[in-house]
Amino acid sequence: MPASQEHAASQVSAEAQFARWADEHLQVLHRVAYRLLGNPHDAEDVVQETFRSAWVSRHLFDASRSERAWLLAILRRRVADSWRRRQDRELPLGDGTLDIAAERSPAPWDDELSSQVQRALGRLTVEVRETLLLVVVGELTHQEAADLLRVPLGTVLSRVSRGRSRLRQYLIESGDLDDAADTERRRA
């Protein structure tokens, strides 16, 4: 097979693999991004940036790691970039700050339970929230999350446990847990 045909076949194979990754992991990546950023539009942007970065660096993918863990590692970096850009857009003005970014209206798919959980997640520390989301929403194993975050397994286990406890506590304190249960019963 000539080199040009071999390269074309390799390109088609890479595109097929990448399309499979997008199909399999898009929803999980979007859920994690949304929970980390709190805005569905920002989450879509970050997921798009994640897939763009993954495509550009696809030759660096280590087949011994899970695809999801690799994509979530990229997503995590893109979320951090987004947080930095958001901080750069905030201009000091007197005692407070002026956020130049336009306020976005809630998406039609945001339900009451989602916003309650998002508020409670926002009260967790970044480390606890990120670890909890990688394991619970991102569906990584505790070990994969530990490898991704470069922390010991015990740290991941304690962060997830602490995060779940605090999330429940915040929802109970705010009355949102009872409201959410009522909402779920009405839907059933």
Side-chain angles (χ1 to χ4, degrees):
M1 179 182 287
S4 62
Q5 287 179 334
E6 207 171 282
H7 177 71
S10 158
Q11 182 70 15
V12 169
S13 173
E15 289 174 6
Q17 179 186 33
F18 196 78
R20 184 180 56 77
W21 288 359
D23 288 343
E24 288 180 19
H25 305 294
L26 176 65
Q27 289 181 340
V28 169
L29 291 172
H30 188 266
R31 283 195 309 262
V32 171
Y34 173 67
R35 291 299 180 193
L36 286 169
L37 295 167
N39 181 300
H41 303 293
D42 291 343
E44 288 173 14
D45 292 345
V46 166
V47 169
Q48 231 175 21
E49 291 173 25
T50 297
F51 278 115
R52 185 200 53 76
S53 294
W55 176 256
V56 169
S57 60
R58 66 190 179 279
H59 63 282
L60 299 174
F61 174 66
D62 178 4
S64 68
R65 289 181 69 190
S66 83
E67 299 157 1
R68 182 169 289 169
W70 185 66
L71 290 168
L72 283 167
I74 296 170
L75 176 84
R76 187 170 166 258
R77 289 189 295 274
R78 297 297 77 87
V79 166
D81 292 344
S82 176
W83 286 336
R84 278 192 289 278
R85 282 192 306 269
R86 189 180 302 167
Q87 287 174 340
D88 291 344
R89 288 191 310 239
E90 293 178 359
L91 301 174
L93 182 65
D95 294 346
T97 61
L98 172 64
D99 189 351
I100 294 175
E103 285 295 315
R104 296 183 176 162
S105 59
W109 58 84
D110 285 348
D111 61 9
E112 189 176 333
L113 179 59
S114 181
S115 62
Q116 293 161 342
V117 172
Q118 192 64 39
R119 277 193 306 273
L121 281 168
R123 293 180 63 188
L124 298 174
T125 65
V126 172
E127 293 84 11
V128 170
R129 179 175 58 238
E130 184 176 39
T131 306
L132 183 65
L133 291 173
L134 288 173
V135 171
V136 175
V137 179
E139 301 173 357
L140 292 184
T141 66
H142 291 94
Q143 186 61 58
E144 287 172 332
D147 293 344
L148 175 64
L149 297 169
R150 295 186 177 146
V151 297
L153 176 61
T155 301
V156 168
L157 293 170
S158 66
R159 285 179 184 175
V160 169
S161 176
R162 193 174 334 122
R164 285 180 172 153
S165 295
R166 288 186 181 157
L167 200 57
R168 178 181 301 277
Q169 175 188 351
Y170 294 153
L171 289 169
I172 289 171
E173 285 173 2
S174 67
D176 288 340
L177 195 59
D178 295 334
D179 294 344
D182 291 342
T183 301
E184 288 302 311
R185 276 194 289 274
R186 280 185 295 226
R187 287 183 186 166

